[in-house]
Amino acid sequence: MQKIIQTIIFACLAFMPAWVFAHPGHDHSHVGFEAGFLHPFTGLDHMMMALALGVLFYSAVKQWKLVGVLVMSIALVSGFAIGVEHLIPENFAEYGIGLSLLAVAVALWSKSKVILPVATALLVTFHGVAHGAELGQSGHLIGLVAGMVTAMVMIYIVGLGFGKFIVDHIPYGKKIVGALAAFIALVGLA
């Protein structure tokens, strides 16, 4: 039985990049800041992760909440630069996204205040690599990255505010955030 479970887990991990490949089919009629800014608002994966990370960072790692904005911004820009230069193959970036989602899920489950920021930085970096590889040739790179970072920071800050509201003003707020963490972990693993 254990051998069957191991085989299923291995098969799921082998196909994980196809499940998390949320980057094809972008609208290339916009370039620069506008394209970068609009992109996070057009994909459920981006909205959900940025909001959820804000909520989770507020409740789980309070001392990192403002540093998280800086770390996520640097990670996204660094990943984008790596992707534009194709220093990491795009398929590898997709594996990185999937595995870093798994690491975020493990960090949330184990309530690790060290692994969560590191896994989040990896997740954002690999997303940057995937976006840089795909969108890097569309022109106006600085505007594109600036728009994407601006939008993601805005969504993340809204998530921080939402996390503060849940934890401070809703009965059983910590339990609700725990349920959200479990949901995000399941979505990430699915």
Side-chain angles (χ1 to χ4, degrees), residues 1-10:
M1 184 65 171
Q2 185 177 10
K3 188 98 168 147
I4 293 171
I5 292 172
Q6 289 174 341
T7 304
I8 291 170
I9 290 171
F10 178 75

Side-chain angles (χ1 to χ4, degrees), residues 22-24 26 28 39-40 45-46 76 79-81 83-84 90 93-94 97 124-138 141 144 148 152:
H23 304 103
H26 293 300
H28 293 287
H39 179 76
D45 61 332
H46 297 89
L76 183 61
F80 198 89
V84 166
E90 195 171 349
E94 296 299 331
I97 292 168
V124 174
T125 301
F126 282 121
H127 262 92
V129 170
H131 288 302
E134 182 185 14
L135 300 174
Q137 309 309 318
S138 66
L141 293 178
L144 184 71
M148 193 173 293
M152 290 299 286

Side-chain angles (χ1 to χ4, degrees), residues 6 41 64 69 71 85 102 111-112 127 134 136 154 162 171 178:
Q6 289 174 341
F41 294 102
W64 283 89
V69 171
V71 169
E85 294 298 322
L102 181 63
K111 297 180 181 164
S112 172
H127 262 92
E134 182 185 14
M154 287 172 58
F162 192 53

Side-chain angles (χ1 to χ4, degrees), residues 17-41:
W19 298 338
V20 297
F21 197 76
H23 304 103
H26 293 300
D27 176 16
H28 293 287
S29 63
H30 300 92
V31 294
F33 186 88
E34 180 184 7
F37 187 80
L38 291 175
H39 179 76
F41 294 102

Side-chain angles (χ1 to χ4, degrees), residues 27-186:
D27 176 16
H28 293 287
S29 63
H30 300 92
V31 294
F33 186 88
E34 180 184 7
F37 187 80
L38 291 175
H39 179 76
F41 294 102
T42 61
L44 181 60
D45 61 332
H46 297 89
M47 290 286 292
M48 183 178 70
M49 286 308 291
L51 278 171
L53 286 174
V55 170
L56 298 172
F57 264 69
Y58 180 82
S59 64
V61 196
K62 289 185 181 180
Q63 69 270 21
W64 283 89
K65 61 186 171 197
L66 295 179
V67 176
V69 171
L70 181 62
V71 169
M72 286 179 26
S73 298
I74 291 170
L76 183 61
V77 170
S78 300
F80 198 89
I82 292 167
V84 166
E85 294 298 322
H86 298 287
L87 298 175
I88 295 176
E90 195 171 349
N91 289 342
F92 182 76
E94 296 299 331
Y95 279 108
I97 292 168
L99 291 175
S100 57
L101 275 171
L102 181 63
V104 168
V106 168
L108 291 170
W109 178 73
S110 67
K111 297 180 181 164
S112 172
K113 295 180 180 183
V114 175
I115 297 173
L116 182 59
V118 172
T120 301
L122 286 173
L123 173 66
V124 174
T125 301
F126 282 121
H127 262 92
V129 170
H131 288 302
E134 182 185 14
L135 300 174
Q137 309 309 318
S138 66
H140 307 283
L141 293 178
I142 293 173
L144 184 71
V145 173
M148 193 173 293
V149 168
T150 301
M152 290 299 286
V153 166
M154 287 172 58
I155 297 167
Y156 174 76
I157 289 172
V158 168
L160 283 174
F162 192 53
K164 178 176 176 37
F165 178 78
I166 291 172
V167 170
D168 294 349
H169 301 292
I170 295 180
Y172 305 105
K174 287 269 190 189
K175 292 187 186 268
I176 292 170
V177 171
L180 176 65
F183 176 73
I184 296 300
L186 287 174

